[in-house]
Amino acid sequence: MPETLESYVQGSWFTPREQGEPMFDANTGEVVAHLSSAGLDVAGAIDHARRVGGPAVRALTFHQRANLLKALAQHLMEYKDEFYALSHRTGATARDSAIDIDGGFGTLFSFSSKGRRELPNSTVILDGPLERLGRGGTFVGQHVYTSRPGVAVQINAFNFPVWGMLEKLAPAFLAGMPSIVKPAPQTAYLTAAVVRRIIESGILPEGSLQMIAGGHEGILENLGPQDIVGFTGSADTGALLRHHPAVAEGGVRLNVEADSLNCSILGPDVSTDDPEFELYIKQVVTEMTSKAGQKCTAIRRVLVPEAMADAVVEALSARLSKVVVGAADHPDTRMGPLATPAQREEVRKAVKALRGSCDIVFGDPDHVEVVGADAEKGAFVSPVLLRARPGAEEPHDVEPFGPVSTVITYSTTAEAVELAARGKGSLVGSLVTGDPDVAREVVLGAAAWHGRILVLNRDNAKESTGHGSPLPVLVHGGPGRAGGGEEMGGVRGVKEHMQRTAIQASPDMATAITGFWTTGSKRTVEEVHPFRKNLSQLRIGDTIASAERTVTRADIDHFAEFTGDTFYAHTDEEAAAANPLFGGIVAHGYLVVSLAAGLFVDPDPGPVLANFGVDNLRFLTPVKEGATIKVTLTAKQITPRTNADYGEVRWDASVTDQDGETVATYDVLTLVAKGEE
């Protein structure tokens, strides 16, 4: 007899006291497993996350968390064959499984990379520059992101049982929050298999990941204002969650990513002879048949110029006729079944509603030929293409969550934008065009109604990841009907799980709190040049106060001749004198920076291995011949690199002249050997 899935809570696997509801093989209708959470201590699981998981994750720096995500991705890749076999049972073909499984692993790798490259090796993120709040510089403001002492509850959809979990887990973990995963019942057995491998690995700290296999009763009731719920699913369920007292009154942060009536627009400039036409047809069919159309990003509305409608319908029908429907693991199959027979009935019901103002031009929702399986025992359905009649309303209101799209015509580009907006908010829209003017009009007109817009043409087609592929570095979510939420987006997704706070303090206090040197804070000038200190010896605030250097006309002339930078302000006295900003010959900005480097650099071999960049360079006061400059260089941020014998040091550089005026400011980035602790 098929087993009942276990939940993982409070450090152990929990067997429910009831067998629960069956989960079916989408291809054969056979029972794969049962699902129940009867007897599970939901409050205990949430307490375990807060008390055990949260402190363990928050004790790690962003870089340490990022390295664990990388190790986790590498570990899970060893079990791909196991996961693919289960994925086939959900109805996913090999191509579909790659999107879900490999896409999930890729998301872990991506967030790991972002965490190591874009976040500090600490537990605090600065948000924006320092705000000077008083004239004397003794009162400053700094926005910071810190970890929330709560739990991230992730209620996932059935269509992506692996990626859907990992794309929420990765940013939450990086942000320092433990996760409780609640997979959708239809495909929970695949999510559970991945979670089991994660727990067995011991890579993540105990309590940072728990899974509730079964209902979500009692979860929201036990959450509070430091907790976050990430939900992916229907707009109706999202609306119910918004009105739950824990959210509406209790302060629980809710992020909703709902299904939407996404559109793809064929530009008015595209003819059947253009490569963009074939790109458009291929993209629509791909989005109709990938995951059997069970994607929240699938193309539901095919918006085309009136004159192109017949050609589009003909081309789409021809390509759809070549799509082989069948068992997910059959070698000839190009589209597998829906997740469940119940889902098939929902699709048929939606098609029936659409037929009130649309005509079927390809496919039959009640009949389909399949290979390798029984069409009725499995949850199979034919791809269905409809064509809207003039003034049709249903295509903008009814979403068939399956391999169904509707061709809708427009007469002007402005009308195309208006039709796109009638979806009332979408996760993604796409435009296929070769005309920059069309691209600008459509994108700027439709952007307010979309979380993401793809502009596809012959130039980017080879590298494009497609209309329906959310990427970990870009935001995933959308306004209105799409839920109003936002996920991923690289570091943006991490910050969504954190608390932003404005800190008001003296510069020294701001430095102590954040771990970053703050303008106006104390500097430490010692006899030992800071460039002679390795990473373990260097401290925030260590400073080089340089000697002075007079900038001569000979310096300016030599720099101009040597570099070829003969801009008139450096070489033509009459023209320079007429310039209202300069009033005479001035030194090149890069000459000033070069001379400054000569003033602060220690020439002998030592812990400083390399200078790898300059950030935020600003030239503030012109330097004329005869001016005397000096530089103050202060250790601003120290970031040890994990798995390396060196780290990064960011130095605050301030160049001033003989009058005390600031000439230039910038950050110098160096690599410094760690040395002995």
Side-chain angles (χ1 to χ4, degrees), residues 99-160:
I99 297 171
D100 184 30
I101 297 170
D102 297 78
F105 301 163
T107 297
L108 291 179
F109 280 122
S110 180
F111 272 99
S112 173
S113 176
K114 285 284 184 180
R116 287 177 284 122
R117 295 177 182 276
E118 299 182 22
L119 295 177
N121 195 12
S122 69
T123 58
V124 178
I125 303 174
L126 299 190
D127 179 45
L130 188 75
E131 300 289 347
R132 186 167 173 166
L133 304 178
R135 289 185 178 182
T138 62
F139 187 45
V140 298
Q142 177 67 64
H143 290 90
V144 300
Y145 281 100
T146 57
S147 297
R148 299 164 67 94
V151 57
V153 175
Q154 295 146 9
I155 304 173
N156 297 320
F158 70 84
N159 51 340
F160 287 98

Side-chain angles (χ1 to χ4, degrees), residues 336-383:
L338 298 173
T340 65
Q343 184 62 32
R344 176 174 58 189
E345 292 310 307
E346 288 298 316
V347 170
R348 287 172 173 169
K349 186 186 301 183
V351 172
K352 184 177 180 180
L354 287 170
R355 293 184 71 176
S357 62
C358 306
D359 300 309
I360 293 178
V361 292
F362 180 87
D364 182 347
D366 298 316
H367 177 75
V368 61
E369 296 292 334
V370 304
V371 297
D374 186 302
E376 288 306 312
K377 290 182 179 179
F380 297 96
V381 68
S382 166

Side-chain angles (χ1 to χ4, degrees), residues 148 151-155 168 220 223-258 483-487 496-497:
R148 299 164 67 94
V151 57
V153 175
Q154 295 146 9
I155 304 173
K168 288 183 174 68
L220 266 67
L223 299 182
Q226 289 296 326
D227 302 317
I228 295 175
V229 174
F231 169 75
T232 298
S234 71
D236 290 342
T237 304
L240 291 175
L241 292 175
R242 284 193 186 91
H243 290 93
H244 192 282
V247 176
E249 303 166 14
V252 173
R253 185 184 295 185
L254 174 66
N255 188 84
V256 175
E257 186 262 291
E486 188 174 285
E487 298 176 338
E496 285 291 325
H497 289 80

Side-chain angles (χ1 to χ4, degrees), residues 180-195:
I180 295 179
V181 174
K182 165 59 182 69
Q186 298 93 325
T187 55
Y189 52 88
L190 176 52
T191 306
V194 177
V195 170

Side-chain angles (χ1 to χ4, degrees), residues 241-320:
L241 292 175
R242 284 193 186 91
H243 290 93
H244 192 282
V247 176
E249 303 166 14
V252 173
R253 185 184 295 185
L254 174 66
N255 188 84
V256 175
E257 186 262 291
D259 308 328
S260 58
L261 287 163
N262 311 297
C263 70
S264 183
I265 302 172
L266 180 67
D269 56 297
V270 179
S271 73
T272 54
D273 296 327
D274 293 324
E276 281 78 12
F277 182 80
E278 179 62 20
L279 290 174
Y280 185 79
I281 298 302
K282 182 179 180 181
Q283 175 177 264
V284 171
V285 171
T286 296
E287 293 304 317
M288 286 180 66
T289 57
S290 177
K291 295 287 288 187
Q294 299 170 116
K295 293 169 61 178
C296 53
T297 55
I299 296 171
R300 307 298 181 197
R301 298 178 297 152
V302 182
L303 307 184
V304 303
E306 289 176 355
M308 295 293 292
D310 290 341
V312 168
V313 168
E314 182 180 351
L316 288 175
S317 298
R319 186 175 282 268
L320 287 169

Side-chain angles (χ1 to χ4, degrees), residues 212-223:
I212 296 178
H216 55 76
E217 293 79 9
I219 294 181
L220 266 67
E221 288 77 5
N222 285 282
L223 299 182

Side-chain angles (χ1 to χ4, degrees), residues 20-79:
E21 297 297 319
M23 293 175 285
F24 301 99
D25 186 312
N27 306 275
T28 65
E30 297 174 348
V31 177
V32 177
H34 290 86
L35 191 68
S36 172
S37 56
L40 188 145
D41 182 4
V42 172
I46 294 172
D47 177 69
H48 185 72
R50 292 178 181 146
R51 185 173 44 81
V52 178
V57 180
R58 292 193 296 274
L60 305 173
T61 67
F62 293 114
H63 287 200
Q64 290 171 326
R65 298 170 201 165
N67 283 322
L68 291 181
L69 290 179
K70 180 180 179 181
L72 182 62
Q74 292 171 329
H75 174 76
L76 291 176
M77 287 179 68
E78 299 175 10
Y79 300 94

